[in-house]
Amino acid sequence: MSTILLAGGAGYIGSHTAVELLESGYDVIIADNYSNSCPEVINRVEEITGKSVKAYEVDIKDKEKVDALFSENKIDAVIHFAGLKAVGESVAMPVAYYRNNIDTTLTLLECMEKHGVKNIIFSSSATVYGEENPVPYTEEMKRGTCTNPYGWTKVMMEQILEDAAKADKDLSVVLLRYFNPIGAHVSGKIGEDPQGIPNNLMPYVAQVAVGRREKLTIFGRDYDTPDGTCRRDYIHVTDLAKGHVKAIDYVFGAKGVEIFNLGTGTPYSVTEIVETFENVNNIKINHVYGERRPGDLAESYANADKALKVLGWKTEKTLADMCRDTWNWQKNNPNGYRK
Ligand code: NAD
Ligand code: UDP
């Protein structure tokens, strides 16, 4: 059976992907420096799946150590999740973002080349569609103008991977453009565990629900949308993880670059998220309306047809599932992975 290296695999999306890959019969190696995650994740993934996971504590920028990892293991494909992802922080610390996100990509590509590994899947983002493209986004649209350094790192990494594939005709690259992953594994054992004050909507809602934050501020209610709040394409993280399994099956038989949106294709507003969370979980979310957040687009959602057509993948979970599973994780782990 094939062995998949998950760079940044202890994180939110990586850990859920590890579960789905293990349950589909793949062997998994997780390499993470735990800069935004905890080693406890590995135990939880093993608990859920009943399988063992080889884990390395390694900075993916550290070429010597990553090279050693490739020498010790026969790796068939890499999924590159390792990156810094906080939009606001990227505006304050652009150099750290470019250094981390681009260096990890270059190091992985160099080690893959040296060890003859030809398959890579990259965690890209809907953010690469930028400000110009109209919704719903389709994969053949040109990458747009990003509003922050985080987004630019994704644009640049997509370009780097495309150039690498042009130069090496045996390389198979899949760029997965995620929309807004939320939710948690149905077991409640793994989920999103942001450090400090959450930047993203759903973890903030969950922390208000569990009493760690006093109230949610909804950023803007004067957008040109049905209820005036922004609309996003929220996708259950388990559906997203299953998309990676399909992408792995695909990457082995392919050459060149293929891009897939991973979203539901249906947008929900911030107000709808709060209301659904309240109704499904029978819990009130204290909230107020505030100013718009700089850089936010009114709407972002996918046309998800290509992933269905080419990968045979589509989302199965509802917004209610996403809200229920988020709360199940948060209430069972009020402080995330920390005791
Ligand atoms: P996450 O922070 O939970 O996971 C990223 C993991 O990478 C963390 O475990 C972190 O410790 C690790 N990491 C970071 N830099 C590293 C380095 N130099 N060496 C080793 N490990 C390193 O984030 P996530 O939500 O799971 O996102 C995974 C990927 O998907 C990221 O590249 C992110 O940009 C991308 N993405 C996420 C979202 C989202 O909303 N969560 C949306 C679009 C794209
Ligand atoms: N949002 C909000 N309050 C928060 C966090 C987010 O109103 O505390 C809104 C934000 O303005 C956006 C939506 O929720 O319209 C999703 O934001 P998130 O940061 O989760 O994702 P992204 O901006 O990357 O789409």
Side-chain angles (χ1 to χ4, degrees), residues 180 199-201 216-219 230 232 234 270 293 296:
N180 287 59
N199 301 297
N200 297 109
L201 177 63
L216 170 76
T217 301
I218 295 180
F219 298 139
C230 294
R232 296 286 181 275
Y234 296 95
V270 181
R293 183 172 66 177
D296 274 348

Side-chain angles (χ1 to χ4, degrees), residues 67-79:
D67 181 49
L69 190 163
F70 274 80
S71 298
E72 280 167 35
N73 300 281
K74 195 196 151 294
I75 291 163
D76 298 292
V78 174
I79 309 184

